[in-house]
Amino acid sequence: MKVLLIEDEEDLRKIVKTSLIKEEYTVETACDYGTALEKVSLYDYDCILLDIMLPGGSGLQILDLLKREGKSDNVIIISAKDSLDDKLRGLELGADDYLTKPFHIAELNARIKAVLRRKQRDGKNTLEMGNVILDLSERCLYIATQLVPLNRKEFDILNYFLLNKNRLVSKSALAEHVWGDNTDQADNLDFIYSQIKNLRKKFLGNHADVDFEAVYGVGYKLVEK
């Protein structure tokens, strides 16, 4: 998978690029409007991470070009500008998602995976594994066509695992993704075990083809039985 990172802050650009390379993406970068415009005009990318405020021009101008070329649906805007108008304008121009700085790298990785999976599914807004289907639009779970109720945290946890299926997810990464900065106030991560336990009960009670595989002291994998 080929990712273009358009970001003028050098330190952030290096951190994000290093993280994406570890995820085994091919990463190209642009640090200003002119370079970014040249790259999106000449090449195709599976995902574009786009800052709005760039030396020489606006990321929204680049997004407008991508929309006219039918390539804006794989763009994640990453910007320090938390203006509702900017966010709405970006989404109107076809951006897939919007992430405000500062953000956690784990959250960015999850957003990228979501974009890539939707791209691979031709826009179908579900995540699937075995007989488990998570509808991202309706925020609901189906196991072999049976609707299974989930609370908000259970949905967020299962969403994250389906984005990382068959991969080891550490407790700290999961807590950071689902609970954000509030995890800093927790004495331990036992609350994750409780949520996983509830999801496993729902899997078992509805004959799901998937289950959580615990890796002692580290985290969990979502695997097919």
Side-chain angles (χ1 to χ4, degrees), residues 5 12-22 27 29:
L5 170 61
L12 178 59
R13 191 170 64 248
K14 288 180 178 179
I15 291 170
V16 172
K17 181 179 180 179
T18 300
S19 172
L20 296 181
I21 289 173
K22 287 180 180 178
V27 184
T29 63

Side-chain angles (χ1 to χ4, degrees), residues 11-180:
D11 289 343
L12 178 59
R13 191 170 64 248
K14 288 180 178 179
I15 291 170
V16 172
K17 181 179 180 179
T18 300
S19 172
L20 296 181
I21 289 173
K22 287 180 180 178
E23 295 290 327
E24 299 185 350
Y25 297 125
T26 299
V27 184
E28 292 187 10
T29 63
C31 60
D32 57 57
Y33 176 82
T35 305
L37 189 62
E38 180 181 13
K39 285 182 177 290
V40 300
S41 299
L42 294 175
Y43 308 108
D44 290 328
Y45 299 92
D46 296 294
C47 184
I48 298 173
L49 306 176
L50 176 63
D51 192 6
I52 290 179
M53 300 295 292
L54 294 169
S58 169
L60 292 178
Q61 292 173 280
I62 295 173
L63 188 56
D64 185 49
L65 171 65
L66 290 169
K67 181 179 182 181
R68 284 187 270 118
E69 295 183 354
K71 298 190 292 186
S72 63
D73 61 346
N74 63 340
V75 175
I76 300 175
I77 295 174
I78 52 172
S79 177
K81 296 189 70 175
D82 197 16
S83 164
L84 179 60
D85 290 340
D86 287 323
K87 181 176 182 178
L88 293 177
R89 178 61 178 153
L91 296 175
E92 285 171 1
L93 287 171
D96 188 277
D97 207 344
Y98 190 108
L99 195 58
T100 303
K101 301 175 189 175
F103 51 79
H104 293 289
I105 294 297
E107 176 71 9
L108 176 62
N109 286 336
R111 301 284 186 100
I112 293 172
K113 289 183 176 69
V115 168
L116 295 176
R117 288 183 185 277
R118 283 194 287 274
K119 187 178 178 72
Q120 292 167 353
R121 296 192 308 271
D122 296 324
K124 186 179 179 184
N125 205 24
T126 60
L127 295 173
E128 302 177 17
M129 187 176 186
N131 62 352
V132 169
I133 300 174
L134 193 68
D135 188 317
L136 303 180
S137 298
E138 300 298 326
R139 292 184 64 85
C140 58
L141 169 66
Y142 292 91
I143 300 178
T145 73
Q146 176 67 38
L147 178 62
V148 179
L150 296 178
N151 64 38
R152 185 168 63 87
K153 292 302 183 188
E154 289 170 348
F155 177 91
D156 290 342
I157 289 171
L158 184 54
N159 184 10
Y160 191 66
F161 272 101
L162 286 169
L163 289 172
N164 294 278
K165 56 187 177 183
N166 296 311
R167 299 179 64 180
L168 176 61
V169 174
S170 69
K171 292 180 182 180
S172 58
L174 180 62
E176 182 178 282
H177 173 73
V178 178
W179 283 271

Side-chain angles (χ1 to χ4, degrees), residues 3-15:
V3 177
L4 174 62
L5 170 61
I6 303 172
E7 171 58 57
D8 66 314
E9 294 181 32
E10 184 177 1
D11 289 343
L12 178 59
R13 191 170 64 248
K14 288 180 178 179
I15 291 170

